[in-house]
């Protein structure tokens, strides 16, 4: 299942996707995009993928096509960031848990008496 929420303002049209971008839901996402863009000037289009839990080959191809049309992407988890990096030919951003403050400081005098 895929939930699509459209956030519309004059200069930016954001499609917030939640769930699985796969199978028949890819076609639904495209139909929603076409309806939202009908009769409008070309706003910046952004796909918010923070809530996406799965992307199949059709979903990846769709995102690649949207990138070709100039779409922007927002992603949060490592897998989605990696898919977007592959599509956009950008470096894969750092992933993993944030470091604790004491791990970022030099280990000088740690535990010394």
């Amino acid at each position: 299942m895929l939930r699509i929420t459209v956030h519309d303002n004059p200069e930016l049209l954001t499609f917030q996707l939640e769930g699985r971008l796969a199978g028949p839901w890819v076609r639904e996402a495209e139909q929603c995009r076409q309806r939202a863009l009908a009769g409008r000037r070309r706003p910046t289009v952004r796909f918010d993928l923070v809530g996406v839990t799965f992307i199949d080959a059709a979903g990846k191809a769709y995102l690649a096509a949207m990138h070709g049309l100039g779409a922007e992407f927002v992603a949060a988890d490592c897998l989605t960031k990696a898919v977007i990096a592959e599509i956009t030919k950008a470096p894969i951003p750092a992933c993993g848990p944030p470091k604790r403050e004491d791990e970022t400081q030099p280990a000088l005098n740690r535990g010394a008496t």
Side-chain angles (χ1 to χ4, degrees):
M1 179 164 278
L2 181 69
R3 177 183 200 171
I4 304 169
T5 305
V6 180
H7 301 279
D8 189 2
N9 73 48
E11 295 165 11
L12 178 65
L13 186 60
T14 301
F15 296 91
Q16 180 182 357
L17 307 181
E18 299 171 273
R20 299 171 58 89
L21 184 58
W25 300 114
V26 175
R27 181 173 37 245
E28 184 63 32
E30 174 57 12
Q31 289 171 349
C32 179
R33 185 189 74 86
Q34 288 180 2
R35 283 190 304 267
L37 288 172
R40 291 184 51 148
R41 292 191 162 218
R42 298 187 71 147
T44 300
V45 173
R46 177 176 294 155
F47 287 88
D48 179 341
L49 307 172
V50 172
V52 171
T53 58
F54 178 77
I55 302 171
D56 72 357
K60 186 175 174 182
Y62 176 68
L63 294 175
M66 294 302 98
H67 173 66
L69 294 174
E72 300 174 353
F73 303 99
V74 177
D77 67 84
C78 292
L79 184 57
T80 306
K81 286 180 179 180
V83 168
I84 297 307
E86 184 178 338
I87 289 168
T88 61
K89 308 290 190 244
I92 296 174
C95 288
K99 292 186 177 186
R100 294 189 334 232
E101 187 175 318
D102 64 340
E103 291 177 340
T104 60
Q105 300 298 318
L108 299 176
N109 297 326
R110 196 179 285 172
T113 55

PDB file of all heavy atoms in Angstrom, residues 77-108:
ATOM      1  N   ASP A  77      16.390   7.083   5.572  1.00  0.00           N
ATOM      2  CA  ASP A  77      17.086   5.859   5.948  1.00  0.00           C
ATOM      3  C   ASP A  77      18.189   5.521   4.946  1.00  0.00           C
ATOM      4  O   ASP A  77      18.218   6.010   3.823  1.00  0.00           O
ATOM      5  CB  ASP A  77      16.112   4.688   6.103  1.00  0.00           C
ATOM      6  CG  ASP A  77      15.482   4.296   4.785  1.00  0.00           C
ATOM      7  OD1 ASP A  77      16.121   3.529   4.040  1.00  0.00           O
ATOM      8  OD2 ASP A  77      14.369   4.762   4.483  1.00  0.00           O
ATOM      9  N   CYS A  78      19.087   4.674   5.369  1.00  0.00           N
ATOM     10  CA  CYS A  78      20.275   4.356   4.561  1.00  0.00           C
ATOM     11  C   CYS A  78      19.926   3.730   3.219  1.00  0.00           C
ATOM     12  O   CYS A  78      20.528   4.074   2.199  1.00  0.00           O
ATOM     13  CB  CYS A  78      21.206   3.426   5.336  1.00  0.00           C
ATOM     14  SG  CYS A  78      21.972   4.226   6.753  1.00  0.00           S
ATOM     15  N   LEU A  79      18.982   2.797   3.199  1.00  0.00           N
ATOM     16  CA  LEU A  79      18.648   2.117   1.953  1.00  0.00           C
ATOM     17  C   LEU A  79      18.051   3.093   0.938  1.00  0.00           C
ATOM     18  O   LEU A  79      18.446   3.105  -0.230  1.00  0.00           O
ATOM     19  CB  LEU A  79      17.690   0.958   2.207  1.00  0.00           C
ATOM     20  CG  LEU A  79      17.350   0.117   0.984  1.00  0.00           C
ATOM     21  CD1 LEU A  79      18.611  -0.458   0.345  1.00  0.00           C
ATOM     22  CD2 LEU A  79      16.395  -0.995   1.361  1.00  0.00           C
ATOM     23  N   THR A  80      17.131   3.919   1.375  1.00  0.00           N
ATOM     24  CA  THR A  80      16.522   4.890   0.461  1.00  0.00           C
ATOM     25  C   THR A  80      17.560   5.903  -0.016  1.00  0.00           C
ATOM     26  O   THR A  80      17.593   6.258  -1.194  1.00  0.00           O
ATOM     27  CB  THR A  80      15.325   5.599   1.120  1.00  0.00           C
ATOM     28  OG1 THR A  80      14.410   4.608   1.604  1.00  0.00           O
ATOM     29  CG2 THR A  80      14.606   6.503   0.145  1.00  0.00           C
ATOM     30  N   LYS A  81      18.436   6.337   0.879  1.00  0.00           N
ATOM     31  CA  LYS A  81      19.512   7.250   0.475  1.00  0.00           C
ATOM     32  C   LYS A  81      20.412   6.599  -0.572  1.00  0.00           C
ATOM     33  O   LYS A  81      20.834   7.256  -1.523  1.00  0.00           O
ATOM     34  CB  LYS A  81      20.348   7.670   1.683  1.00  0.00           C
ATOM     35  CG  LYS A  81      19.662   8.664   2.592  1.00  0.00           C
ATOM     36  CD  LYS A  81      20.556   9.016   3.757  1.00  0.00           C
ATOM     37  CE  LYS A  81      19.912  10.022   4.685  1.00  0.00           C
ATOM     38  NZ  LYS A  81      20.793  10.365   5.809  1.00  0.00           N
ATOM     39  N   ALA A  82      20.688   5.316  -0.409  1.00  0.00           N
ATOM     40  CA  ALA A  82      21.538   4.609  -1.371  1.00  0.00           C
ATOM     41  C   ALA A  82      20.857   4.499  -2.734  1.00  0.00           C
ATOM     42  O   ALA A  82      21.501   4.671  -3.773  1.00  0.00           O
ATOM     43  CB  ALA A  82      21.896   3.227  -0.843  1.00  0.00           C
ATOM     44  N   VAL A  83      19.551   4.229  -2.741  1.00  0.00           N
ATOM     45  CA  VAL A  83      18.798   4.163  -4.005  1.00  0.00           C
ATOM     46  C   VAL A  83      18.847   5.519  -4.703  1.00  0.00           C
ATOM     47  O   VAL A  83      19.120   5.607  -5.903  1.00  0.00           O
ATOM     48  CB  VAL A  83      17.339   3.707  -3.763  1.00  0.00           C
ATOM     49  CG1 VAL A  83      16.479   3.910  -5.008  1.00  0.00           C
ATOM     50  CG2 VAL A  83      17.307   2.251  -3.321  1.00  0.00           C
ATOM     51  N   ILE A  84      18.608   6.587  -3.959  1.00  0.00           N
ATOM     52  CA  ILE A  84      18.620   7.936  -4.535  1.00  0.00           C
ATOM     53  C   ILE A  84      20.023   8.297  -5.014  1.00  0.00           C
ATOM     54  O   ILE A  84      20.200   8.883  -6.081  1.00  0.00           O
ATOM     55  CB  ILE A  84      18.081   8.974  -3.528  1.00  0.00           C
ATOM     56  CG1 ILE A  84      16.614   8.672  -3.195  1.00  0.00           C
ATOM     57  CG2 ILE A  84      18.245  10.392  -4.054  1.00  0.00           C
ATOM     58  CD1 ILE A  84      15.703   8.535  -4.392  1.00  0.00           C
ATOM     59  N   ALA A  85      21.048   7.930  -4.258  1.00  0.00           N
ATOM     60  CA  ALA A  85      22.425   8.205  -4.678  1.00  0.00           C
ATOM     61  C   ALA A  85      22.744   7.485  -5.984  1.00  0.00           C
ATOM     62  O   ALA A  85      23.395   8.045  -6.867  1.00  0.00           O
ATOM     63  CB  ALA A  85      23.402   7.791  -3.581  1.00  0.00           C
ATOM     64  N   GLU A  86      22.274   6.259  -6.126  1.00  0.00           N
ATOM     65  CA  GLU A  86      22.503   5.515  -7.367  1.00  0.00           C
ATOM     66  C   GLU A  86      21.796   6.183  -8.542  1.00  0.00           C
ATOM     67  O   GLU A  86      22.357   6.310  -9.627  1.00  0.00           O
ATOM     68  CB  GLU A  86      22.014   4.079  -7.204  1.00  0.00           C
ATOM     69  CG  GLU A  86      22.296   3.212  -8.406  1.00  0.00           C
ATOM     70  CD  GLU A  86      21.843   1.783  -8.216  1.00  0.00           C
ATOM     71  OE1 GLU A  86      21.696   1.324  -7.059  1.00  0.00           O
ATOM     72  OE2 GLU A  86      21.620   1.116  -9.237  1.00  0.00           O
ATOM     73  N   ILE A  87      20.577   6.633  -8.320  1.00  0.00           N
ATOM     74  CA  ILE A  87      19.803   7.286  -9.378  1.00  0.00           C
ATOM     75  C   ILE A  87      20.439   8.606  -9.792  1.00  0.00           C
ATOM     76  O   ILE A  87      20.558   8.913 -10.969  1.00  0.00           O
ATOM     77  CB  ILE A  87      18.343   7.513  -8.913  1.00  0.00           C
ATOM     78  CG1 ILE A  87      17.609   6.179  -8.837  1.00  0.00           C
ATOM     79  CG2 ILE A  87      17.610   8.496  -9.820  1.00  0.00           C
ATOM     80  CD1 ILE A  87      16.273   6.261  -8.129  1.00  0.00           C
ATOM     81  N   THR A  88      20.854   9.391  -8.815  1.00  0.00           N
ATOM     82  CA  THR A  88      21.361  10.735  -9.087  1.00  0.00           C
ATOM     83  C   THR A  88      22.865  10.758  -9.353  1.00  0.00           C
ATOM     84  O   THR A  88      23.416  11.815  -9.654  1.00  0.00           O
ATOM     85  CB  THR A  88      21.053  11.682  -7.910  1.00  0.00           C
ATOM     86  OG1 THR A  88      21.705  11.195  -6.738  1.00  0.00           O
ATOM     87  CG2 THR A  88      19.558  11.810  -7.671  1.00  0.00           C
ATOM     88  N   LYS A  89      23.513   9.611  -9.218  1.00  0.00           N
ATOM     89  CA  LYS A  89      24.969   9.499  -9.411  1.00  0.00           C
ATOM     90  C   LYS A  89      25.735  10.341  -8.394  1.00  0.00           C
ATOM     91  O   LYS A  89      26.831  10.821  -8.659  1.00  0.00           O
ATOM     92  CB  LYS A  89      25.386   9.896 -10.831  1.00  0.00           C
ATOM     93  CG  LYS A  89      24.635   9.186 -11.926  1.00  0.00           C
ATOM     94  CD  LYS A  89      25.012   7.738 -12.016  1.00  0.00           C
ATOM     95  CE  LYS A  89      24.447   7.108 -13.267  1.00  0.00           C
ATOM     96  NZ  LYS A  89      23.488   6.074 -13.057  1.00  0.00           N
ATOM     97  N   ALA A  90      25.138  10.519  -7.231  1.00  0.00           N
ATOM     98  CA  ALA A  90      25.776  11.278  -6.152  1.00  0.00           C
ATOM     99  C   ALA A  90      26.446  10.295  -5.193  1.00  0.00           C
ATOM    100  O   ALA A  90      26.089   9.121  -5.149  1.00  0.00           O
ATOM    101  CB  ALA A  90      24.718  12.095  -5.404  1.00  0.00           C
ATOM    102  N   PRO A  91      27.403  10.768  -4.416  1.00  0.00           N
ATOM    103  CA  PRO A  91      28.006   9.875  -3.420  1.00  0.00           C
ATOM    104  C   PRO A  91      26.958   9.442  -2.402  1.00  0.00           C
ATOM    105  O   PRO A  91      26.039  10.203  -2.082  1.00  0.00           O
ATOM    106  CB  PRO A  91      29.077  10.735  -2.744  1.00  0.00           C
ATOM    107  CG  PRO A  91      29.134  12.012  -3.481  1.00  0.00           C
ATOM    108  CD  PRO A  91      27.971  12.091  -4.410  1.00  0.00           C
ATOM    109  N   ILE A  92      27.095   8.233  -1.913  1.00  0.00           N
ATOM    110  CA  ILE A  92      26.164   7.747  -0.888  1.00  0.00           C
ATOM    111  C   ILE A  92      26.484   8.491   0.404  1.00  0.00           C
ATOM    112  O   ILE A  92      27.630   8.481   0.865  1.00  0.00           O
ATOM    113  CB  ILE A  92      26.291   6.233  -0.686  1.00  0.00           C
ATOM    114  CG1 ILE A  92      25.893   5.509  -1.965  1.00  0.00           C
ATOM    115  CG2 ILE A  92      25.427   5.763   0.491  1.00  0.00           C
ATOM    116  CD1 ILE A  92      26.106   4.015  -1.926  1.00  0.00           C
ATOM    117  N   PRO A  93      25.467   9.147   0.989  1.00  0.00           N
ATOM    118  CA  PRO A  93      25.722   9.883   2.228  1.00  0.00           C
ATOM    119  C   PRO A  93      26.031   8.936   3.382  1.00  0.00           C
ATOM    120  O   PRO A  93      25.662   7.769   3.368  1.00  0.00           O
ATOM    121  CB  PRO A  93      24.411  10.643   2.474  1.00  0.00           C
ATOM    122  CG  PRO A  93      23.403  10.032   1.584  1.00  0.00           C
ATOM    123  CD  PRO A  93      24.109   9.257   0.527  1.00  0.00           C
ATOM    124  N   ALA A  94      26.715   9.460   4.365  1.00  0.00           N
ATOM    125  CA  ALA A  94      27.061   8.666   5.546  1.00  0.00           C
ATOM    126  C   ALA A  94      25.788   8.191   6.228  1.00  0.00           C
ATOM    127  O   ALA A  94      24.816   8.929   6.351  1.00  0.00           O
ATOM    128  CB  ALA A  94      27.895   9.505   6.506  1.00  0.00           C
ATOM    129  N   CYS A  95      25.800   6.950   6.641  1.00  0.00           N
ATOM    130  CA  CYS A  95      24.669   6.375   7.359  1.00  0.00           C
ATOM    131  C   CYS A  95      25.182   5.759   8.641  1.00  0.00           C
ATOM    132  O   CYS A  95      26.365   5.520   8.810  1.00  0.00           O
ATOM    133  CB  CYS A  95      23.991   5.294   6.518  1.00  0.00           C
ATOM    134  SG  CYS A  95      23.067   5.949   5.141  1.00  0.00           S
ATOM    135  N   GLY A  96      24.275   5.480   9.499  1.00  0.00           N
ATOM    136  CA  GLY A  96      24.618   4.838  10.757  1.00  0.00           C
ATOM    137  C   GLY A  96      24.160   5.688  11.914  1.00  0.00           C
ATOM    138  O   GLY A  96      23.718   6.821  11.742  1.00  0.00           O
ATOM    139  N   PRO A  97      24.271   5.135  13.094  1.00  0.00           N
ATOM    140  CA  PRO A  97      23.807   5.875  14.265  1.00  0.00           C
ATOM    141  C   PRO A  97      24.706   7.073  14.542  1.00  0.00           C
ATOM    142  O   PRO A  97      25.897   7.026  14.260  1.00  0.00           O
ATOM    143  CB  PRO A  97      23.894   4.842  15.394  1.00  0.00           C
ATOM    144  CG  PRO A  97      24.915   3.865  14.938  1.00  0.00           C
ATOM    145  CD  PRO A  97      24.818   3.834  13.431  1.00  0.00           C
ATOM    146  N   PRO A  98      24.134   8.136  15.058  1.00  0.00           N
ATOM    147  CA  PRO A  98      24.962   9.294  15.401  1.00  0.00           C
ATOM    148  C   PRO A  98      25.927   8.917  16.517  1.00  0.00           C
ATOM    149  O   PRO A  98      25.631   8.079  17.362  1.00  0.00           O
ATOM    150  CB  PRO A  98      23.951  10.348  15.866  1.00  0.00           C
ATOM    151  CG  PRO A  98      22.703   9.605  16.160  1.00  0.00           C
ATOM    152  CD  PRO A  98      22.734   8.334  15.373  1.00  0.00           C
ATOM    153  N   LYS A  99      27.083   9.534  16.489  1.00  0.00           N
ATOM    154  CA  LYS A  99      28.077   9.257  17.524  1.00  0.00           C
ATOM    155  C   LYS A  99      27.706   9.982  18.804  1.00  0.00           C
ATOM    156  O   LYS A  99      27.187  11.094  18.776  1.00  0.00           O
ATOM    157  CB  LYS A  99      29.460   9.701  17.058  1.00  0.00           C
ATOM    158  CG  LYS A  99      29.979   8.871  15.918  1.00  0.00           C
ATOM    159  CD  LYS A  99      31.394   9.252  15.591  1.00  0.00           C
ATOM    160  CE  LYS A  99      31.914   8.346  14.501  1.00  0.00           C
ATOM    161  NZ  LYS A  99      33.319   8.572  14.239  1.00  0.00           N
ATOM    162  N   ARG A 100      27.996   9.320  19.911  1.00  0.00           N
ATOM    163  CA  ARG A 100      27.785   9.971  21.198  1.00  0.00           C
ATOM    164  C   ARG A 100      28.841  11.057  21.358  1.00  0.00           C
ATOM    165  O   ARG A 100      29.921  10.980  20.775  1.00  0.00           O
ATOM    166  CB  ARG A 100      27.905   8.964  22.328  1.00  0.00           C
ATOM    167  CG  ARG A 100      26.812   7.930  22.318  1.00  0.00           C
ATOM    168  CD  ARG A 100      26.827   7.079  23.575  1.00  0.00           C
ATOM    169  NE  ARG A 100      28.123   6.996  24.210  1.00  0.00           N
ATOM    170  CZ  ARG A 100      28.725   5.866  24.547  1.00  0.00           C
ATOM    171  NH1 ARG A 100      28.166   4.717  24.308  1.00  0.00           N
ATOM    172  NH2 ARG A 100      29.906   5.879  25.137  1.00  0.00           N
ATOM    173  N   GLU A 101      28.552  12.037  22.172  1.00  0.00           N
ATOM    174  CA  GLU A 101      29.466  13.160  22.348  1.00  0.00           C
ATOM    175  C   GLU A 101      30.837  12.703  22.836  1.00  0.00           C
ATOM    176  O   GLU A 101      31.868  13.172  22.365  1.00  0.00           O
ATOM    177  CB  GLU A 101      28.874  14.168  23.330  1.00  0.00           C
ATOM    178  CG  GLU A 101      29.693  15.430  23.420  1.00  0.00           C
ATOM    179  CD  GLU A 101      29.043  16.466  24.286  1.00  0.00           C
ATOM    180  OE1 GLU A 101      27.823  16.649  24.188  1.00  0.00           O
ATOM    181  OE2 GLU A 101      29.772  17.100  25.060  1.00  0.00           O
ATOM    182  N   ASP A 102      30.874  11.726  23.753  1.00  0.00           N
ATOM    183  CA  ASP A 102      32.164  11.290  24.280  1.00  0.00           C
ATOM    184  C   ASP A 102      32.967  10.488  23.262  1.00  0.00           C
ATOM    185  O   ASP A 102      34.167  10.307  23.426  1.00  0.00           O
ATOM    186  CB  ASP A 102      32.000  10.509  25.583  1.00  0.00           C
ATOM    187  CG  ASP A 102      31.228   9.211  25.412  1.00  0.00           C
ATOM    188  OD1 ASP A 102      30.503   9.072  24.406  1.00  0.00           O
ATOM    189  OD2 ASP A 102      31.343   8.341  26.295  1.00  0.00           O
ATOM    190  N   GLU A 103      32.353  10.000  22.178  1.00  0.00           N
ATOM    191  CA  GLU A 103      33.079   9.285  21.136  1.00  0.00           C
ATOM    192  C   GLU A 103      33.708  10.234  20.123  1.00  0.00           C
ATOM    193  O   GLU A 103      34.583   9.845  19.371  1.00  0.00           O
ATOM    194  CB  GLU A 103      32.146   8.319  20.394  1.00  0.00           C
ATOM    195  CG  GLU A 103      31.698   7.157  21.250  1.00  0.00           C
ATOM    196  CD  GLU A 103      30.723   6.264  20.517  1.00  0.00           C
ATOM    197  OE1 GLU A 103      30.120   6.722  19.523  1.00  0.00           O
ATOM    198  OE2 GLU A 103      30.543   5.122  20.940  1.00  0.00           O
ATOM    199  N   THR A 104      33.252  11.473  20.095  1.00  0.00           N
ATOM    200  CA  THR A 104      33.790  12.426  19.137  1.00  0.00           C
ATOM    201  C   THR A 104      34.987  13.189  19.695  1.00  0.00           C
ATOM    202  O   THR A 104      35.696  13.834  18.960  1.00  0.00           O
ATOM    203  CB  THR A 104      32.703  13.435  18.691  1.00  0.00           C
ATOM    204  OG1 THR A 104      32.235  14.148  19.838  1.00  0.00           O
ATOM    205  CG2 THR A 104      31.561  12.715  18.004  1.00  0.00           C
ATOM    206  N   GLN A 105      35.196  13.102  20.995  1.00  0.00           N
ATOM    207  CA  GLN A 105      36.311  13.790  21.627  1.00  0.00           C
ATOM    208  C   GLN A 105      37.522  12.862  21.659  1.00  0.00           C
ATOM    209  O   GLN A 105      37.387  11.648  21.752  1.00  0.00           O
ATOM    210  CB  GLN A 105      35.943  14.189  23.067  1.00  0.00           C
ATOM    211  CG  GLN A 105      34.739  15.120  23.134  1.00  0.00           C
ATOM    212  CD  GLN A 105      34.993  16.420  22.425  1.00  0.00           C
ATOM    213  OE1 GLN A 105      36.053  17.005  22.526  1.00  0.00           O
ATOM    214  NE2 GLN A 105      34.014  16.881  21.671  1.00  0.00           N
ATOM    215  N   PRO A 106      38.731  13.406  21.606  1.00  0.00           N
ATOM    216  CA  PRO A 106      39.927  12.570  21.719  1.00  0.00           C
ATOM    217  C   PRO A 106      39.910  11.800  23.051  1.00  0.00           C
ATOM    218  O   PRO A 106      39.388  12.267  24.039  1.00  0.00           O
ATOM    219  CB  PRO A 106      41.079  13.567  21.687  1.00  0.00           C
ATOM    220  CG  PRO A 106      40.506  14.819  21.134  1.00  0.00           C
ATOM    221  CD  PRO A 106      39.036  14.798  21.428  1.00  0.00           C
ATOM    222  N   ALA A 107      40.498  10.646  23.027  1.00  0.00           N
ATOM    223  CA  ALA A 107      40.475   9.777  24.209  1.00  0.00           C
ATOM    224  C   ALA A 107      41.603  10.100  25.179  1.00  0.00           C
ATOM    225  O   ALA A 107      42.099   9.223  25.865  1.00  0.00           O
ATOM    226  CB  ALA A 107      40.560   8.324  23.771  1.00  0.00           C
ATOM    227  N   LEU A 108      42.022  11.340  25.248  1.00  0.00           N
ATOM    228  CA  LEU A 108      43.112  11.738  26.146  1.00  0.00           C
ATOM    229  C   LEU A 108      42.626  11.666  27.594  1.00  0.00           C
ATOM    230  O   LEU A 108      41.550  12.131  27.931  1.00  0.00           O
ATOM    231  CB  LEU A 108      43.558  13.163  25.845  1.00  0.00           C
ATOM    232  CG  LEU A 108      44.107  13.393  24.434  1.00  0.00           C
ATOM    233  CD1 LEU A 108      44.422  14.855  24.228  1.00  0.00           C
ATOM    234  CD2 LEU A 108      45.342  12.538  24.205  1.00  0.00           C
TER     235      LEU A 108
END
